[in-house]
Amino acid sequence: MERLLSEGRLTAAFGVLDNAIMTYPGLRQFAGELERLRQGYGYMSGYALQGLPDPGLAESYADIVEGVWSLVDAMVRQVRLKDAPTLYFNTLRYELATPGDSVPALMGEYGSVSQKLSLAALAEDPARAVREFSLQAEQLEKRLFNRIWTMYPLGAADESALRDALADKSLPVYFKSLLVSAVLMGLMEQLDERRLMLLMDAYASDEADVSVRALCALLLGLWLYRGRHMTSRLRNRLAALKEMPGWVRDVRMATMQYVRSRDTERITRKFNEEVIPEVMKLRPELEKLKDKAMDPEAMEENPEWAEMLEKSGVADRLKELQELQEDGGDVMMATFSKLKTFSFFNDISNWFLPFHRSHTQIASDDVPEISALISIMGNAPMFCDNDKYSVALSLSQIPPAQRDMMIRQIKLQSEQMEAVRMADMNSGRIPQREELAANYVRNLYRFFKLFRRKGEFHDPFAAGLNIPAIPVLEQEFADPDTLMVIAEFYFKRGYYADAIDVFRRLSSMSAPSSAISQKMGYCEQSLGDVAAALRHYEEAEMLDSSSRWTLRRLAWCHRMLGNWDKALGYYLRLAEDKPDDVSLALNIGLSLVKLHSYDEALQYLFKAEFYGSGSEKAMRALAWCTLLGGDYERCVKYTATLLAAASPRPNDYINAGHLSLLTGHPGEAVDHYVDAIKSMDGDIDAFLRRVSDDKVTIAAFGDVDPNLTAIVMDASIAKSK
């Protein structure tokens, strides 16, 4: 269906839907809508084919295509509703079985319970009343989340109830933030105009948490449905948002949180595969220095521990992680990913629930230390909400000594973060919205990566969210400085496919830049497109012909493409300033070998050998050059030296075999070829490929009887087994 619609074959698409309705009796309810779309398309196309002017043609056509898409979504949903085993459809079937629990009805009930909870302090037993009403509120929060998540499309009454709740100042802000996530999760299942409108309106909220979450959710929705038609109603509402003073700043800020999320997997892998194993190796030695369990504070006080960490390399890795954290990287994922097994996280709504210390599963007035830590956690910006719940839920399982240490550490970090926040505010920067966005994106990331049934959900983080590529947000990213920050982030961390997309956009809106062309070339090179890399490096050379880095890359590209004469030209240009450079002499020599200028090549290879103090690279090149040039006497000398080295390469043995065969010693050739096969772990196919490639190059093989060559090869293979 996607192919038919993208190709504009609507008539064929209608035929496919006709067949689906005939095949599945449960889809007959959609026959009327299908016929309406077919008739609309017929009227529109009939008018267009008359050649009459129709300024509304584009909009009408897009509306019909979007109508077909919506119909397809509804039909697929109906087919899966019967027995799809996913959590979404299991929840949906339950919700459909309880029609009385509508969003307006549940919302009314929640408002009543919320009001009772606010007056619980006046009850005869306040603690008991608070717990009772809190439990009722939490149950209703889950019910509302599930209802909003699964209902499609949202009805007018549902939309109205949600709008009223989001505007109600008497309801908790955390509850309204949770509603935003429910709207988003439903939007991720199917495109729904009312959900997008709700997110747009929620962004205009004067409650920062609600506003920022709505923006992050909206950007995610716009990315997921970037190829779908946006109705005039949505376009007009979005245009109104674009007039708001902070819109562009907020969009760019939230986008950077999604950009930084790309690095979470790499940071987590570094932590789990490099830092933790090294620390565990050192643990026995560290604990010998002090007769108690490892304590980070004590570690800082003990210079012997610090020295041991420095020598092991752990200190460098920890410093790198700290720099990543300062740059906005999510270094907590690795720590808290193992703490998502509590039953609390079996409910999808709890992954998006803003942290509040009054939640019944973490409230602990009986243990002052736990209560104190939960209070500190509530204001700790370095933890996202569901990580805070992870810590709070695990406190009862932690021994008191370690719990005290945790309190000290979290309090210290919180104080440090608060100092940074105050410095930012004094400098005119207001970090609150950025912290809220980072928090929410991390909540989303953890859900899609760690939820026990995550495989049932489309993971928008899997391929990365390229928010600047959303067509309706083109103007928000018309600023080269913003794009450069995003491009450099991707480039620095090796996300070359994303980086090249942003660099392309940058190059189209700003003056030609040698640096951008260089980076675009490097991206293409890293992605394996040497020809495209070459084009960008050539652009960079035109803009700055003095860059040695560019000249080296150009030479490399021409080598990879087999343009040895052009590669030679660049190496010679580079050698003008550095005639004694061993690497350049070697590359010039190898280029000349490829161009069959063996005598001239030897001059550069001798230079490389001299300045490189007899390096194996130069020796190997000399052996190859003298073999191709027919100087077998010298070739014997260089080949013998290579074979006597500590670890000869397969090609050294193969060249020795060629030399023996060319000099009339086929028996020796067999022995050398056998050694080559063994050094290639017995891979006979790989050996034969290399020999075949060499025979194309070595013209002298024409003087060897092909029958003898065949016998030698056969004997070598047989003897190697």
Side-chain angles (χ1 to χ4, degrees):
M1 182 59 68
E2 183 176 353
R3 181 176 60 84
L4 291 175
L5 292 177
S6 64
E7 293 175 356
R9 299 172 58 192
L10 286 177
T11 301
F14 291 139
V16 171
L17 295 179
D18 278 331
N19 291 335
I21 290 173
M22 292 176 62
T23 304
Y24 298 98
L27 298 181
R28 288 174 185 164
Q29 59 182 299
F30 300 107
E33 176 63 13
L34 176 58
E35 187 57 31
R36 186 189 70 79
L37 289 167
R38 195 198 320 267
Q39 286 183 2
Y41 180 64
Y43 294 142
M44 181 190 68
S45 58
Y47 188 82
L49 291 173
Q50 294 179 42
L52 300 172
D54 185 0
L57 178 62
E59 184 72 17
S60 298
Y61 185 86
D63 284 341
I64 289 175
V65 171
E66 182 55 38
V68 175
W69 268 121
S70 297
L71 183 58
V72 170
D73 288 343
M75 291 170 71
V76 170
R77 176 186 175 89
Q78 186 63 31
V79 170
R80 299 190 66 198
L81 177 60
K82 183 179 179 182
D83 53 12
T86 64
L87 179 61
Y88 177 82
F89 282 100
N90 285 339
T91 307
L92 174 58
R93 284 189 285 269
Y94 175 82
E95 294 298 334
L96 292 175
T98 54
D101 292 345
S102 65
V103 171
L106 290 170
M107 205 70 79
E109 193 175 343
Y110 183 81
S112 175
V113 171
S114 181
Q115 187 175 19
K116 291 176 182 177
L117 184 58
S118 66
L119 299 173
L122 303 177
E124 185 176 337
D125 185 349
R128 182 172 174 276
V130 166
R131 180 165 182 81
E132 179 183 340
F133 293 134
S134 293
L135 286 170
Q136 291 179 25
E138 289 165 15
Q139 187 60 34
L140 285 166
E141 287 162 8
K142 293 176 189 176
R143 289 287 294 111
L144 275 161
F145 186 98
N146 289 342
R147 190 81 185 184
I148 297 165
W149 168 38
T150 54
M151 289 296 100
Y152 174 83
L154 277 180
D158 299 333
E159 181 184 17
S160 178
L162 281 168
R163 287 186 186 283
D164 290 344
L166 291 171
D168 190 341
K169 298 296 182 183
S170 69
L171 296 179
V173 174
Y174 77 79
F175 170 66
K176 289 183 269 190
S177 296
L178 183 64
L179 295 181
V180 168
S181 295
V183 171
L184 169 63
M185 292 306 293
L187 181 62
M188 292 195 67
E189 295 292 336
Q190 287 175 277
L191 178 58
D192 187 345
E193 182 182 277
R194 281 198 169 102
R195 291 177 190 273
L196 284 172
M197 288 294 293
L198 278 166
L199 293 177
M200 290 181 186
D201 291 344
Y203 167 70
S205 169
D206 57 3
E207 293 169 322
D209 199 5
V210 175
S211 173
V212 171
R213 284 188 177 224
L215 174 63
C216 293
L218 177 62
L219 293 178
L220 181 51
L222 292 176
W223 167 252
L224 290 174
Y225 300 108
R226 61 195 179 280
R228 299 281 286 269
H229 175 60
M230 182 176 277
T231 64
S232 58
R233 181 168 176 248
L234 284 171
R235 291 199 303 272
N236 291 337
R237 186 66 185 97
L238 184 60
L241 291 184
K242 289 170 182 268
E243 297 297 321
M244 294 178 65
W247 168 259
V248 173
R249 181 192 65 238
D250 279 351
V251 168
R252 293 173 181 174
M253 174 274 296
T255 296
M256 281 308 302
Q257 307 314 313
Y258 282 119
V259 168
R260 292 189 180 106
S261 73
R262 288 296 307 275
D263 221 22
T264 304
E265 187 175 346
R266 183 177 70 90
I267 294 171
T268 302
R269 188 167 56 248
K270 179 179 286 290
F271 191 87
N272 289 334
E273 296 178 4
E274 296 180 21
V275 176
I276 295 299
E278 290 301 323
V279 170
M280 295 309 296
K281 287 179 186 176
L282 292 175
R283 189 183 184 102
E285 284 72 20
L286 288 168
E287 293 191 348
K288 285 178 186 175
L289 299 175
K290 202 159 189 175
D291 296 329
K292 69 174 187 178
M294 289 174 64
D295 180 338
E297 286 187 355
M299 193 180 301
E300 292 172 4
E301 297 165 2
N302 192 325
E304 293 180 76
W305 287 22
E307 182 181 356
M308 188 177 293
L309 288 173
E310 196 72 38
K311 288 180 179 179
S312 69
V314 172
D316 290 337
R317 293 189 177 95
L318 290 173
K319 183 179 179 182
E320 182 182 357
L321 287 172
Q322 183 179 359
E323 290 172 352
L324 288 169
Q325 183 178 22
E326 291 171 355
D327 195 33
D330 183 3
V331 300
M332 298 296 178
M333 176 76 170
T335 304
F336 293 107
S337 60
K338 305 294 189 296
L339 294 178
K340 306 299 182 188
T341 56
F342 296 102
S343 59
F344 176 85
F345 292 110
N346 290 341
D347 290 315
I348 182 173
S349 60
N350 286 338
W351 288 82
F352 307 103
L353 183 65
F355 185 82
H356 60 105
R357 58 172 300 185
S358 60
H359 195 283
T360 57
Q361 291 203 37
I362 62 171
S364 182
D365 295 332
D366 298 336
V367 185
E369 295 85 359
I370 294 179
S371 181
L373 182 53
I374 290 174
S375 295
I376 295 170
M377 289 283 295
N379 298 316
M382 60 279 196
F383 302 117
C384 67
D385 291 309
N386 59 53
D387 283 352
K388 291 177 182 179
Y389 280 114
S390 295
V391 173
L393 291 165
S394 63
L395 287 177
S396 61
Q397 304 174 11
I398 300 175
Q402 291 185 345
R403 196 160 59 211
D404 292 342
M405 181 194 74
M406 183 182 293
I407 291 174
R408 291 197 304 272
Q409 288 294 307
I410 292 177
K411 187 175 182 180
L412 177 62
Q413 288 192 36
S414 296
E415 290 171 352
Q416 292 172 343
M417 293 293 289
E418 185 61 29
V420 171
R421 182 192 282 109
M422 292 302 297
D424 284 339
M425 292 181 70
N426 292 334
S427 65
R429 176 174 167 267
I430 303 176
Q432 183 195 21
R433 293 178 76 84
E434 186 173 341
E435 289 172 2
L436 290 170
N439 175 14
Y440 190 51
V441 169
R442 289 173 184 178
N443 283 337
L444 289 169
Y445 191 92
R446 279 152 179 68
F447 171 76
F448 288 109
K449 300 296 182 182
L450 302 175
F451 183 51
R452 62 191 178 92
R453 301 180 70 166
K454 60 182 181 292
E456 297 176 9
F457 295 83
H458 166 69
D459 179 4
F461 295 96
L465 287 85
N466 189 7
I467 304 296
I470 299 174
V472 295
L473 297 180
E474 183 177 0
Q475 291 305 311
E476 281 76 354
F477 297 97
D479 173 31
D481 292 339
T482 301
L483 289 178
M484 182 59 80
V485 170
I486 295 172
E488 290 290 353
F489 181 93
Y490 286 142
F491 183 79
K492 182 179 178 181
R493 288 158 175 76
Y495 304 118
Y496 298 117
D498 295 304
I500 192 69
D501 284 341
V502 185
F503 278 131
R504 284 195 191 105
R505 187 165 175 185
L506 263 172
S507 64
S508 69
M509 65 170 58
S510 56
S513 162
S514 173
I516 289 180
S517 294
Q518 285 177 334
K519 288 172 180 176
M520 290 177 75
Y522 190 82
C523 289
E524 297 287 14
Q525 176 186 327
S526 301
L527 294 169
D529 193 339
V530 179
L534 177 60
R535 290 195 298 273
H536 291 300
Y537 289 142
E538 287 173 340
E539 292 167 4
E541 184 196 12
M542 285 191 291
L543 295 166
D544 179 11
S545 60
S546 63
S547 170
R548 294 182 64 83
W549 188 91
T550 301
L551 296 179
R552 281 188 176 275
R553 294 294 168 180
L554 283 164
W556 181 88
C557 286
H558 282 301
R559 280 184 59 176
M560 294 298 101
L561 295 171
N563 305 328
W564 289 98
D565 54 339
K566 293 183 179 180
L568 175 61
Y570 284 111
Y571 284 131
L572 289 171
R573 282 176 61 183
L574 287 162
E576 289 174 3
D577 297 333
K578 291 191 174 183
D580 299 337
D581 188 299
V582 175
S583 175
L584 286 174
L586 187 59
N587 281 316
I588 291 171
L590 289 171
S591 299
L592 288 166
V593 169
K594 288 291 185 179
L595 295 168
H596 308 297
S597 299
Y598 304 119
D599 291 338
E600 191 178 355
L602 284 173
Q603 297 175 29
Y604 286 95
L605 295 176
F606 285 143
K607 182 190 288 189
E609 182 190 24
F610 177 77
Y611 287 113
S613 303
S615 72
E616 279 194 13
K617 282 187 177 181
M619 196 78 65
R620 193 165 281 114
L622 281 165
W624 184 234
C625 181
T626 51
L627 177 65
L628 294 177
D631 190 349
Y632 300 142
E633 185 175 343
R634 275 181 173 164
C635 187
V636 168
K637 168 190 164 187
Y638 295 124
T639 301
T641 302
L642 289 168
L643 294 182
S647 54
R649 296 182 180 179
N651 274 0
D652 296 332
Y653 292 118
I654 291 174
N655 289 341
H658 292 344
L659 179 62
S660 296
L661 193 56
L662 289 165
T663 54
H665 301 90
E668 289 180 6
V670 169
D671 293 336
H672 290 309
Y673 289 144
V674 169
D675 289 337
I677 294 171
K678 289 180 179 178
S679 69
M680 297 169 74
D681 298 323
D683 191 336
I684 293 170
D685 291 336
F687 166 74
L688 291 174
R689 280 195 300 272
R690 291 202 193 185
V691 170
S692 178
D693 291 341
D694 286 348
K695 283 196 295 184
V696 172
T697 307
I698 304 174
F701 258 67
D703 298 331
V704 179
D705 186 334
N707 295 313
L708 176 60
T709 302
I711 292 170
V712 167
M713 293 299 163
D714 184 55
S716 302
I717 293 169
K719 193 173 180 180
S720 69
K721 294 181 179 178

